[in-house]
């Protein structure tokens, strides 16, 4: 069973990677042009071997809702482009100033800072463009997908969460309420979009709320595990700078409540997430994936 | 006649400003939240009193194509959000490092650098969101508008032009071909989107190409006049740092060919632009506006 799940996971990752490669050829610049530099930076970060959690969720929710996982590939790639854009901008010197990402120099270290800035801007743009350009999606679906994605990205979603995180510099002790709100915006919002967009691609609009409620809990658990790993893991395993939260005096759930209590809360959130998965038939892979994410080491 | 044109110009600017104000209330954050800081930065730059050329063009092309100017307000505001996002990111220290914009401190000077970065990201996102959210537009029109806008913004448009401009630091003498290609991407692309989107809002899809061809020439002329003003104007009149092109060794059309030849070329381009305007009935305002833009002092 685990082998079967692992195979499905790999095939989903391969499928979205292939799609991202196709976009490189159709939207990437010509190698003789200066703008090729930014195209290279965009795909350097896109192809950095992330876990592709968001694309996998979009593909699988599309399948369990009666579509084929291929139908969700445009949405899956779009969400991954948004995620990558956010990582590139997040790593910039004026933000978290992180030199490493996924075991490699972060985008502004591998390229120039201005190149990284524009690569992020261009990825944000391209995410919406590939949805609008997809001939296989109806205009109604395209609009629904773009609404989901823009709402998840904006000031009340991912970007808003990053803003709150900017003020999380040790000068203010965040209440649990504020901390969890920040996690919901910074992490859950885009996972929610991925899951809901998978349902939309399948035409199963009435399943989007259950998928979104699952993603909210998954995102909180995922972020809390991120906090824990920042305390307990090593740079080698994690592929990025460790202990950076503590060094910058950041308030995190794990820092406030300790590793053990945080692991317990992540498990509670995962249980809640599972109750939403139970509303979907053929949910074995999603249950397995959720467990994997809870027990990850990087 | 001039009074009538001026009145129309003012009413168009007022209309898009009102619309931008409505979006502030519906999409802006709550004043008690941290993300309000970024909302403030977004509208600080959006409301900085720009010339609103792009919104005005969208509104007027919609009207001359048989629609009402109001029908184009969502598209007009979206284009202005994209324009403002590009200015905010362009002014950042890692880009042009400009401290002033439109006579006021640039966004990252009035706010924090990270706030300005995220305000730009959020404006890019909001531009697509307001189109997707507009109940008065059909799904087909929304998709057409988003396709126009994403194409104009991306790596082969505005952002691509900014990339080429990054390498315009005095180390390479740009050929006229390369310089004009950069201007087409950096400046014409978004003007083209504004004009074409105006036609689309009116449902006059077959007029978009003439509008776009007009905008290409207008953009080139506009950019060359910008170069000239950077040489001949003062900070007081221009509202931003002067002589910055020469100081940074930037290759511009005016720097290469001199002010007089540049003024003549801008006039030739304007004549070409006018031939496309002649294909539209009721084109008096557009002709007047184009002449105004050629004779501007700031």
């Amino acid at each position: 069973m685990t082998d079967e799940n692992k195979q499905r996971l790999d095939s989903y990752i391969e499928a979205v990677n292939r799609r991202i490669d196709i976009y490189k050829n159709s939207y990437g610049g010509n190698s003789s042009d200066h703008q090729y530099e930014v195209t290279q930076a965009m795909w350097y970060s896109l192809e950095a071997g992330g876990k592709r959690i968001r694309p996998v969720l979009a593909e699988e929710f599309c399948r369990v809702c009666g579509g084929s996982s291929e139908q969700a590939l445009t949405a899956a790639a779009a969400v991954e482009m948004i995620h990558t854009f956010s990582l590139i901008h997040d790593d910039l010197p004026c933000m978290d100033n992180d030199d490493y990402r996924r075991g490699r120099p972060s985008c502004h270290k591998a390229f120039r800072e201005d190149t990284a800035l524009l690569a992020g801007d261009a990825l944000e743009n391209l995410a919406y463009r590939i949805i609008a350009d997809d001939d296989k999606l109806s205009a109604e679906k395209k609009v629904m997908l773009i609404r989901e994605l823009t709402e998840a990205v904006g000031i009340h979603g991912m970007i808003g969460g990053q803003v709150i995180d900017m003020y999380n510099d040790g000068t203010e002790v965040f209440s649990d309420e504020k901390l969890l709100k920040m996690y919901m915006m910074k992490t859950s919002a885009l996972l929610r979009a991925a899951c809901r967009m998978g349902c939309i691609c399948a035409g199963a609009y009435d399943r989007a709320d259950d998928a979104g409620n699952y993603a909210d809990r998954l995102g909180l658990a995922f972020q809390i595990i991120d906090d824990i790993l920042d305390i307990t893991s090593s740079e080698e395993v994690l592929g990025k700078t460790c202990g950076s939260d503590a060094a910058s005096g950041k308030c995190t759930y794990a820092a406030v409540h300790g590793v053990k209590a945080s692991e317990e809360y992540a498990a509670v959130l995962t249980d809640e997430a599972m109750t939403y998965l139970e509303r979907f038939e053929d949910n074995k892979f999603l249950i397995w994936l959720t467990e994997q994410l809870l027990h990850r080491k990087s």
Side-chain angles (χ1 to χ4, degrees), chain A residues 212-284:
Chain A
N213 285 329
Y214 156 76
D216 284 346
R217 277 75 181 176
L218 177 71
L220 287 178
F222 191 86
Q223 186 58 53
I224 289 168
I225 292 163
D226 239 30
D227 299 343
I228 296 170
L229 290 173
D230 191 72
I231 295 173
T232 61
S233 190
S234 70
E235 204 160 306
E236 223 167 32
V237 175
L238 211 55
K240 63 178 181 181
T241 315
C242 248
S244 59
D245 293 341
S248 62
K250 268 198 180 185
C251 194
T252 75
Y253 195 89
V256 172
H257 297 276
V259 169
K260 190 161 179 299
S262 301
E263 283 173 343
E264 285 165 8
Y265 186 45
V268 169
L269 288 164
T270 307
D271 284 346
E272 285 183 25
M274 294 295 187
T275 64
Y276 286 104
L277 287 188
E278 281 163 20
R279 302 183 185 187
F280 293 87
E281 284 180 44
D282 195 4
N283 58 9
K284 301 277 180 300

Side-chain angles (χ1 to χ4, degrees), chain A residues 2-57:
Chain A
T2 297
D3 278 357
E4 203 179 300
N5 288 325
K6 185 76 179 64
Q7 274 168 19
R8 173 167 291 167
L9 178 66
D10 288 344
S11 77
Y12 281 171
I13 293 172
E14 270 170 42
V16 75
N17 285 347
R18 271 198 307 275
R19 179 60 75 91
I20 285 170
D21 205 50
I22 289 169
Y23 290 137
K24 186 184 190 172
N25 294 321
S26 49
Y27 293 102
N30 185 302
S31 63
S32 66
D33 293 335
H34 277 310
Q35 69 258 43
Y36 185 60
E37 183 81 6
V38 165
T39 314
Q40 280 188 301
M42 290 163 73
W43 269 270
Y44 169 84
S45 292
L46 259 181
E47 294 172 342
K51 291 179 278 285
R52 306 286 194 229
I53 297 163
R54 294 156 194 81
V56 167
L57 286 168

Side-chain angles (χ1 to χ4, degrees), chain A residues 152-165:
Chain A
V153 172
I155 199 74
H156 299 290
M158 187 189 79
I159 292 174
Q162 286 175 305
V163 179
I164 300 177
D165 207 20

Side-chain angles (χ1 to χ4, degrees), chain A residues 36-197:
Chain A
Y36 185 60
E37 183 81 6
V38 165
T39 314
Q40 280 188 301
M42 290 163 73
W43 269 270
Y44 169 84
S45 292
L46 259 181
E47 294 172 342
K51 291 179 278 285
R52 306 286 194 229
I53 297 163
R54 294 156 194 81
V56 167
L57 286 168
E59 291 172 77
E60 177 67 357
F61 268 102
C62 188
R63 193 192 66 82
V64 300
C65 286
S68 74
S69 60
E70 288 77 19
Q71 279 176 278
L73 279 178
T74 306
V79 173
E80 193 67 5
M81 285 176 184
I82 291 290
H83 176 57
T84 306
F85 128 67
S86 79
L87 299 181
I88 294 173
H89 281 191
D90 230 17
D91 286 341
L92 285 173
C94 75
M95 296 283 292
D96 287 351
N97 196 20
D98 269 323
D99 290 354
Y100 290 94
R101 169 69 66 180
R102 293 170 176 169
R104 304 198 300 173
S106 46
C107 191
H108 67 278
K109 282 291 171 181
F111 297 85
R112 294 165 31 162
E113 194 181 333
D114 47 5
T115 304
L117 173 71
L118 292 175
D121 290 347
L123 279 172
E124 183 176 6
N125 169 68
L126 191 55
Y128 303 118
R129 185 168 180 190
I130 59 172
I131 297 173
D133 278 0
D134 187 341
D135 288 339
K136 291 192 180 155
L137 293 167
S138 69
E140 284 73 17
K141 270 192 191 172
K142 289 178 189 184
V143 171
M144 288 181 79
L145 293 171
I146 292 171
R147 288 188 76 167
E148 288 291 338
L149 196 51
T150 52
E151 191 181 333
V153 172
I155 199 74
H156 299 290
M158 187 189 79
I159 292 174
Q162 286 175 305
V163 179
I164 300 177
D165 207 20
M166 273 167 34
Y167 291 90
N168 184 8
D169 56 2
T171 54
E172 180 186 339
V173 178
F174 279 23
S175 66
D176 275 8
E177 189 194 341
K178 187 168 191 170
L179 206 52
L180 296 177
K181 180 189 167 191
M182 180 179 83
Y183 289 176
M184 280 284 279
M185 295 167 73
K186 210 183 138 148
T187 309
S188 295
L190 199 55
L191 289 165
R192 183 166 63 235
C195 297
R196 291 177 60 94
M197 288 164 80

